[in-house]
Amino acid sequence: AQSVTQPDIHITVSEGASLELRCNYSYGATPYLFWYVQSPGQGLQLLLKYFSGDTLVQGIKGFEAEFKRSQSSFNLRKPSVHWSDAAEYFCAVGGDDKIIFGKGTRLHILP
Amino acid sequence: GAGVSQSPSNKVTEKGKDVELRCDPISGHTALYWYRQRLGQGLEFLIYFQGNSAPDKSGLPSDRFSAERTGESVSTLTIQRTQQEDSAVYLCASSSPLRRGRAWGYTFGSGTRLTVV
């Protein structure tokens, strides 16, 4: 069965610092992988997705993620965070049908 | 329409009552999904429709939950005899057929916030 683990419930970083949010998945074949962001009171917005090809994926808002098959990971990174990045981040995995979401990582930004 | 539309945006109901939540997907999107997001939690998959295939109901938490979809258009999620633990935001999403290497869109609606009192 497919599953997603986001081991960090909360992450706090200082504005301008680098960020890495962890995501590990379980899936029987090569998965589709996604990162979504949800700001307070807002809907879900797709940051980036991986289907195939280059394992380093660029997304919106300066985010990137790297698919590492050997580690079953798809960690999200940003070199320098902004206060507006404070939000909940969800990793998701799927195939040719539904996608399953992790429980999320809440990102806090220190001024 | 331009996006996935859900109604109502907010619903307050008394424990034991039935509720219906509606989702209008993006025109042409053959796949439709329902998720539940409890306060402070992640998205919990409920049900998935793909075209005329039998729906994947594996995420429905109890037999009080059911969903229907008319062709490739509107879907209704029904919760019977609501309980307080049903309080959550119910999100609908739709997508074009998933094909590796092709353009793909998986768009969420704004959700229906259900409060059971």
Side-chain angles (χ1 to χ4, degrees):
Chain A
Q2 62 198 83
S3 66
V4 180
T5 302
Q6 293 181 249
D8 303 305
I9 299 173
H10 295 272
I11 290 278
T12 301
V13 298
S14 297
E15 190 169 16
S18 64
L19 170 70
E20 183 169 30
L21 302 183
R22 295 184 290 166
C23 173
N24 292 95
Y25 68 89
S26 174
Y27 194 76
T30 300
Y32 298 136
L33 294 160
F34 313 86
W35 276 98
Y36 282 83
V37 61
Q38 187 177 40
S39 297
Q42 302 296 310
L44 282 155
Q45 182 180 22
L46 179 67
L47 284 176
L48 48 79
K49 59 183 182 287
Y50 170 80
F51 281 177
S52 64
D54 193 345
T55 55
L56 184 62
V57 180
Q58 302 298 319
I60 62 171
K61 304 184 179 186
F63 286 92
E64 67 178 26
E66 186 171 12
F67 170 51
K68 293 186 177 180
R69 186 189 302 274
S70 62
Q71 298 176 20
S72 297
S73 69
F74 190 57
N75 294 349
L76 182 71
R77 300 193 295 248
K78 186 170 184 178
S80 177
V81 298
H82 186 263
W83 64 266
S84 61
D85 293 326
E88 186 97 23
Y89 291 80
F90 295 96
C91 181
V93 63
D96 286 327
D97 52 11
K98 63 183 181 287
I99 68 173
I100 300 298
F101 288 79
K103 295 188 182 300
T105 296
R106 182 164 294 279
L107 176 63
H108 306 271
I109 307 293
L110 294 176
Chain B
V4 177
S5 177
Q6 291 188 247
S7 60
S9 55
N10 281 284
K11 176 72 176 179
V12 180
T13 189
E14 292 181 353
K15 178 180 173 181
K17 300 281 189 182
D18 298 351
V19 294
E20 283 190 354
L21 312 180
R22 177 186 169 105
C23 174
D24 281 275
I26 292 173
S27 178
H29 279 189
T30 57
L32 186 148
Y33 314 79
W34 283 98
Y35 291 85
R36 177 171 70 178
Q37 187 176 26
R38 291 186 167 128
L39 185 65
Q41 302 295 312
L43 276 77
E44 178 185 2
F45 167 76
L46 297 177
I47 188 169
Y48 157 60
F49 296 91
Q50 173 59 60
N52 294 319
S53 302
D56 176 349
K57 303 180 181 180
S58 60
L60 294 179
S62 78
D63 59 8
R64 296 187 296 105
F65 287 72
S66 63
E68 293 183 349
R69 188 181 186 193
T70 307
E72 294 184 351
S73 60
V74 172
S75 175
T76 302
L77 177 69
T78 301
I79 309 173
Q80 296 178 309
R81 305 180 302 282
T82 52
Q83 304 294 313
Q84 287 186 328
E85 66 260 27
D86 299 335
S87 296
V89 175
Y90 289 83
L91 289 162
C92 176
S94 70
S95 77
S96 53
L98 291 174
R99 295 287 186 271
R100 291 183 185 276
R102 292 194 187 179
W104 174 89
Y106 194 99
T107 305
F108 279 91
S110 298
T112 294
R113 181 176 298 278
L114 176 66
T115 304
V116 182
V117 298

